[in-house]
Amino acid sequence: MSAFVVSVGAFGVKKLQNSRNAFEQARALERRGRTQEAAALYRTIISRNAQHDRALFRLGSILLQAGLAEGASSYLERAVAVRRDEPEYLTTLARAYEHLGKLELAATVLSYALTLDPDSLEAHENLSLIQLQAGAHAEALEHLERVVQLRPDDALSHVKLAWVLLLTSRPTEALARAQRAVLLDPSLASARRCVGDAFDMLGDKSRSIPSYRRALELDPQNFVSHSNLIVSMLTDPSSDAETIFAEARAWADLHAQPLRTHLRPHDSDKDPERRLRVGYVSPDFRVHAVQQFLIRLLEQHDPSAFEIFLYSSVQRPDAQTAWYRAFAENRFREIQDMDDVAVSELVRHDDIDILVDLAVHGAGNRLRVFACKPAPVQFTWLGYAGTTGLDTIDYRISDPYLDPPGTDLGVYSETTLRLPETFWCYDALESDLPVGPLPALTRGFLTFGCLNSPRKVHDGAVALWARVLRAVPASRLLFYVEDYGREAALRTLAAAGVEAERVDFVGRTSRRAYLERHSGFDIALDTFPFAGGTTTLDAIWMGVPVLTLTGKTALQRAGVSIAMNLGLPELIAHSADEFVERAVVLASDLERLRTLRAELRPRLEASPLGDAPRFARQLEALYRTAWRRYCAHS
């Protein structure tokens, strides 16, 4: 090959005898961190030899590391065209496709790479990530299990496998993997967090909460672990409102306080009556319980007074995401891949007047955006009736029953603004599903049910339900517990004198099938201390009355708010004894239950809970009140 001349920066002009020497020189530059000079030399090599696969590969790799995935993919494709049998070329090309969002192409390339090298760790790991994004959890598990076989002593590999096992509702197996990771590396915070998630899913708060605390000791800045701890405390009977508030404040001190450097004055037009820009922030603009409350509200917002923006951090968009996108049109913002400071700047650029958090500390929350105070007025609502702990969120929304007069509002960092009637406006979004007949009329026995999240179910709740079963002879219980929790539930029931033959379990299913399950029981029994909201309204809509046990926290008064808005105070018990007594009274009056079966849906639709225009005006009035306060005091 003839010699050629190339500029290599500080190395000056050198005569390079052949492309091999030039490639070695470029690699030396790259190893010294002089990637721009290396890239220039790789380009020169390629201009002289378009089939130089190693130069094509190295240039593509440099561009990929620089975030230039489009350019990287073109060079990597050329490298692969020359050498289709080189697994490293293939896995790197797949990474470029991933950055470009071309997941199907990336999966195809990785699958081919595994035919060349079935033990390629990178191919197995990256393919599992792609399959997770596509929701193909079973396929992802296969690849991660292979990674663990290839690296049995790598703690992080066990953690990754544990995460996916949790996603597939296999917490017992996930716990074993996470505990193995802890043994391999006791300092690995993600392993401790995974142990906490597994125990939380198994309903063992006595071990989930200490596991989260240990994870935070190892990684104090991990705000996701800290939020998981708070959410686990919500369903823990031993965690009162004061304890949860203290933890939320600790979260704010650790994870929100450092972002105060991004606070700065707002230059909003302080006209108290002008049209306002309202932004809703949520990880759940998808098929999720949020849609039963949010869709009708969005449709009923007064466009002459409020301009609505949606800030979506959905991990896997779906058909429902498309609805939200179409609704908001050019005011839909995809923020999943943006950091919190960048999102806060986007909100400022959009001139948002009122920013509303819809997740509190739930999964995927973006509370750190609110910590930057990008909007002059900030709310939290809907996720659950609790507190964020942030000083930068001005208001939390409640109602007269969740936080009745005399309630200690000092357990919330936000100022509480009460809607006049209800915290929720509900729509089942399943208009063609009929209410079935009362099962007891044909069966000859009463069936109680609970379809609340298994995370809300604990031994104390099951023991109370057992008392109900003992007080109502021949009655049965149907409730939602995944396979892993059924043995423990049966043990609790047996200890309370209830035979296994009187209990039926159901697992996860589609929303429509879940609603249809209500045709199989006569009375629903609520959970505590985290009462049902969505599940209670779903049961009511399907004609099933829900007996609830009120308590000291807003979370435990969700059923109270719903019952009072329906005009059915007899569904509220103020003690465990009264809960059993009211269950007996209801179960003893089949005619009353038959009447309720027919009346509950119309009653719900006619109540404040089902009146979307009325709810929208009331919520907008709260927004306007908050805005006027801001204008008056700024």
Side-chain angles (χ1 to χ4, degrees):
M1 182 180 293
S2 60
F4 58 93
V5 176
V6 61
S7 171
V8 289
F11 280 81
V13 178
K14 295 186 177 182
K15 180 179 288 188
L16 303 174
Q17 299 301 316
N18 53 50
S19 62
R20 178 176 180 181
N21 291 339
F23 181 79
E24 291 173 352
Q25 184 67 66
R27 286 292 287 141
L29 287 167
E30 192 177 352
R31 283 190 288 267
R32 294 178 184 179
R34 300 169 69 169
T35 54
Q36 289 188 349
E37 295 167 87
L41 187 47
Y42 288 135
R43 291 181 193 276
T44 302
I45 295 169
I46 293 165
S47 71
R48 297 295 181 123
N49 179 6
Q51 301 297 304
H52 198 297
D53 60 283
R54 290 184 297 164
L56 289 164
F57 172 69
R58 292 310 318 162
L59 179 55
S61 298
I62 288 173
L63 294 174
L64 184 58
Q65 290 172 2
L68 303 172
E70 191 71 53
S73 65
S74 65
Y75 285 103
L76 293 168
E77 285 168 345
R78 290 169 63 184
V80 168
V82 177
R83 285 281 306 277
R84 293 181 59 85
D85 60 346
E86 178 51 63
E88 187 180 12
Y89 291 6
L90 293 162
T91 55
T92 307
L93 174 59
R95 286 208 310 274
Y97 285 151
E98 288 177 55
H99 283 286
L100 293 169
K102 299 177 179 180
L103 299 185
E104 289 187 13
L105 268 179
T108 299
V109 170
L110 289 169
S111 297
Y112 177 67
L114 285 172
T115 66
L116 302 175
D117 181 7
D119 292 341
S120 171
L121 286 166
E122 184 177 3
H124 280 296
E125 287 186 326
N126 289 356
L127 188 52
S128 72
L129 291 175
I130 291 170
Q131 289 166 336
L132 282 175
Q133 292 182 65
H137 296 156
E139 292 82 354
L141 268 177
E142 291 180 12
H143 291 288
L144 288 173
E145 286 168 346
R146 183 58 182 150
V147 170
V148 168
Q149 290 172 0
L150 294 168
R151 285 195 305 218
D153 296 327
D154 179 64
L156 193 55
S157 295
H158 285 276
V159 171
K160 290 176 181 177
L161 178 55
W163 291 136
V164 184
L165 287 165
L166 286 171
L167 288 174
T168 54
S169 296
R170 294 161 64 179
T172 303
E173 296 169 73
L175 179 61
R177 292 294 182 180
Q179 289 176 326
R180 174 62 180 160
V182 169
L183 288 173
L184 291 168
D185 185 355
S187 67
L188 188 61
S190 60
R192 303 282 185 170
R193 173 183 152 194
C194 196
V195 169
D197 286 344
F199 276 130
D200 185 64
M201 188 176 285
L202 289 165
D204 191 342
K205 311 300 175 181
S206 66
R207 289 194 279 185
S208 67
I209 290 173
S211 297
Y212 287 134
R213 292 201 184 282
R214 181 59 181 143
L216 287 169
E217 289 172 3
L218 295 168
D219 183 8
Q221 302 309 311
N222 193 310
F223 53 88
V224 175
S225 291
H226 209 161
S227 282
N228 286 6
L229 165 62
I230 292 169
V231 171
S232 188
M233 293 171 70
L234 301 179
T235 55
D236 174 30
S238 67
S239 296
D240 57 22
E242 291 77 12
T243 304
I244 295 170
F245 174 58
E247 200 61 57
R249 290 301 257 175
W251 191 100
D253 289 341
L254 276 170
H255 314 298
Q257 188 70 18
L259 294 169
R260 294 188 68 85
T261 56
H262 298 282
L263 301 182
R264 60 182 190 271
H266 298 92
D267 56 2
S268 310
D269 176 2
K270 297 179 179 61
D271 177 355
E273 307 306 322
R274 68 172 173 82
R275 187 183 190 218
L276 298 177
R277 290 187 163 201
V278 176
Y280 290 102
V281 182
S282 177
D284 299 318
F285 292 134
R286 56 188 175 90
V287 174
H288 186 274
V290 161
Q291 70 195 49
Q292 279 98 260
F293 306 99
L294 199 57
I295 286 177
R296 295 295 175 255
L297 168 66
L298 294 176
E299 291 176 333
Q300 293 299 325
H301 265 313
D302 179 359
S304 69
F306 297 90
E307 185 177 9
I308 305 302
F309 288 70
L310 301 182
Y311 296 87
S312 171
S313 54
V314 173
Q315 287 190 345
R316 288 195 299 274
D318 56 24
Q320 192 59 51
T321 308
W323 183 93
Y324 288 111
R325 190 186 302 274
F327 166 81
E329 298 177 329
N330 63 349
R331 299 178 305 282
F332 186 91
R333 305 285 184 260
E334 178 53 69
I335 63 171
Q336 168 62 19
D337 296 326
M338 298 174 64
D339 66 50
D340 297 309
V341 174
V343 175
S344 73
E345 291 303 314
L346 175 61
V347 172
R348 282 183 174 273
H349 182 267
D350 285 337
D351 294 323
I352 297 299
D353 301 304
I354 297 176
L355 194 66
V356 186
D357 158 60
L358 299 178
V360 202
H361 280 281
N365 75 76
R366 301 303 296 265
L367 290 180
R368 283 164 50 88
V369 171
F370 289 80
C372 300
K373 193 67 185 247
V377 178
Q378 300 193 149
F379 277 82
T380 185
W381 170 62
L382 193 56
Y384 57 86
T387 182
T388 63
L390 274 67
D391 290 327
T392 51
I393 294 187
D394 306 284
Y395 302 103
R396 62 178 287 272
I397 294 173
S398 185
D399 72 24
Y401 307 105
L402 294 175
D403 290 287
T407 296
D408 177 14
L409 300 180
V411 294
Y412 310 119
S413 58
E414 310 85 359
T415 297
T416 297
L417 290 183
R418 295 179 179 89
L419 287 159
E421 295 173 306
T422 173
F423 181 81
W424 299 277
C425 179
Y426 170 85
D427 192 310
L429 305 176
E430 293 279 357
S431 59
D432 63 335
L433 194 60
V435 173
L438 187 72
L441 293 176
T442 54
R443 290 176 176 171
F445 58 85
L446 204 293
T447 304
F448 296 97
C450 179
L451 298 181
N452 288 9
S453 167
R455 295 190 183 212
K456 295 182 178 182
V457 177
H458 52 84
D459 285 349
V462 176
L464 179 57
W465 300 344
R467 288 183 59 189
V468 170
L469 290 179
R470 291 202 311 270
V472 181
S475 63
R476 298 181 63 88
L477 174 65
L478 179 150
F479 69 108
Y480 171 26
V481 180
E482 296 291 356
D483 292 343
Y484 54 80
R486 295 178 183 181
E487 185 177 341
L490 286 173
R491 283 197 304 268
T492 301
L493 289 164
V498 174
E499 304 85 353
E501 293 75 20
R502 297 178 65 186
V503 182
D504 293 309
F505 296 115
V506 294
R508 189 183 301 273
T509 189
S510 67
R511 171 160 173 77
R512 188 175 181 88
Y514 146 78
L515 289 171
E516 289 172 338
R517 280 178 176 162
H518 291 83
S519 64
F521 56 96
D522 306 280
I523 301 171
L525 303 177
D526 205 354
T527 50
F528 62 90
F530 199 148
T534 307
T535 48
T536 295
L537 288 162
D538 286 338
I540 296 293
W541 191 76
M542 291 301 297
V544 180
V546 182
L547 183 60
T548 191
L549 175 63
T550 187
K552 295 181 179 180
T553 67
L555 288 175
Q556 196 166 340
R557 291 191 286 261
V560 175
S561 177
I562 293 168
M564 294 303 291
N565 273 282
L566 291 170
L568 293 170
E570 63 268 30
L571 297 179
I572 303 166
H574 296 83
S575 69
D577 288 345
E578 187 181 3
F579 188 89
V580 176
E581 291 167 5
R582 289 186 178 271
V584 170
V585 170
L586 273 173
S588 302
D589 191 347
L590 294 187
E591 182 57 29
R592 173 64 172 154
L593 287 175
R594 187 192 64 78
T595 302
L596 282 173
R597 196 82 169 190
E599 289 182 351
L600 281 176
R601 183 179 293 184
R603 187 186 286 254
L604 170 59
E605 292 172 338
S607 76
L609 293 159
D611 191 336
R614 177 175 172 177
F615 181 85
R617 300 294 82 77
Q618 292 174 352
L619 183 60
E620 289 170 352
L622 247 61
Y623 290 162
R624 184 63 65 181
T625 294
W627 180 252
R628 287 169 182 159
R629 287 183 184 177
Y630 167 73
C631 293
H633 295 96
S634 60

